[in-house]
Amino acid sequence: MESIDAYIAKRAKRADSLTASTKRARQIAANTREAVGHLNSAVKKPFVPSVTSVKKADFDFKRMASPAAKDRVTAVQQSGLVRQSMAGAAGDTSHSTQQQHKFDLKASLGRKLNYKPYVGRLEAPSTTTTTSFASSLTTHALRHPSNTKGLSVAAGRDNRRKDIASNRASKRKDGQMLRRGIPI
């Protein structure tokens, strides 16, 4: 067995190795706090802005722009791509004084049509082409006789299904006859 002194020495050595990293972190934090304290004590002046009023401010940005920016602006303006509002912002007012385009009737009538107009007499409107509520009701009744007879929906549906099935069969038969070259 070991002696108690050897055991206590090993235990102290192990505790020191475990807490060494925390001791080092505490030392670094203390050094950092001390450095920040020195910086704060050196800079105690409050911030005072250099400009407190814009009364005498110069907002002529065209004069302050670089020559390369001026060249780009003039190139775009010469190509005619600048709208009137943009021309005023760039400082060039030559585009802003343009007159608005007005419609010229004589020039419009002098141009050739891009379609062929109808030539000839127009037919007088007849009474048969006018539709009234009563005539639309009668045509609806003629198209949908099941509604006028008062048949139930189920009976109408069954009749429609039968008609569709017979029509499908006759179409199939007619198609066969056509393929065989037999007249119907």
Side-chain angles (χ1 to χ4, degrees), residues 24-171:
R24 195 170 0 128
R26 284 185 188 148
Q27 182 63 32
I28 292 171
N31 291 344
T32 307
R33 271 189 241 114
E34 186 180 325
V36 169
H38 287 298
L39 288 174
N40 285 340
S41 65
V43 182
K44 283 289 183 183
K45 294 191 285 185
F47 173 72
V48 179
S50 61
V51 178
T52 57
S53 174
V54 292
K55 269 186 186 177
K56 299 175 185 175
D58 185 17
F59 294 107
D60 187 11
F61 297 111
K62 184 179 179 187
R63 183 175 49 97
M64 291 187 286
S66 67
K70 287 181 185 177
D71 293 340
R72 274 185 272 138
V73 169
T74 55
V76 170
Q77 288 171 352
Q78 288 172 356
S79 66
L81 298 175
V82 176
R83 290 182 287 166
Q84 291 178 359
S85 62
M86 293 298 288
D92 185 17
T93 58
S94 63
H95 292 285
S96 62
T97 58
Q98 269 185 343
Q99 292 181 353
Q100 292 290 334
H101 175 69
K102 292 186 178 180
F103 180 73
D104 187 11
L105 181 64
K106 289 182 181 178
S108 176
L109 292 174
R111 272 185 262 147
K112 186 177 179 181
L113 295 175
N114 58 358
Y115 62 93
K116 183 179 177 185
Y118 179 78
V119 180
R121 290 186 61 148
L122 296 175
E123 295 178 9
S126 64
T127 57
T128 58
T129 58
T130 60
T131 59
S132 65
F133 183 69
S135 66
S136 66
L137 284 178
T138 56
T139 55
H140 180 76
L142 290 173
R143 287 184 189 147
H144 304 286
S146 60
N147 292 344
T148 58
K149 292 178 185 173
L151 294 173
S152 68
V153 174
R157 185 183 307 138
D158 290 341
N159 290 339
R160 282 195 306 272
R161 286 180 180 164
K162 287 177 187 173
D163 291 343
I164 290 170
S166 66
N167 191 12
R168 189 180 303 138
S170 65
K171 279 187 179 179

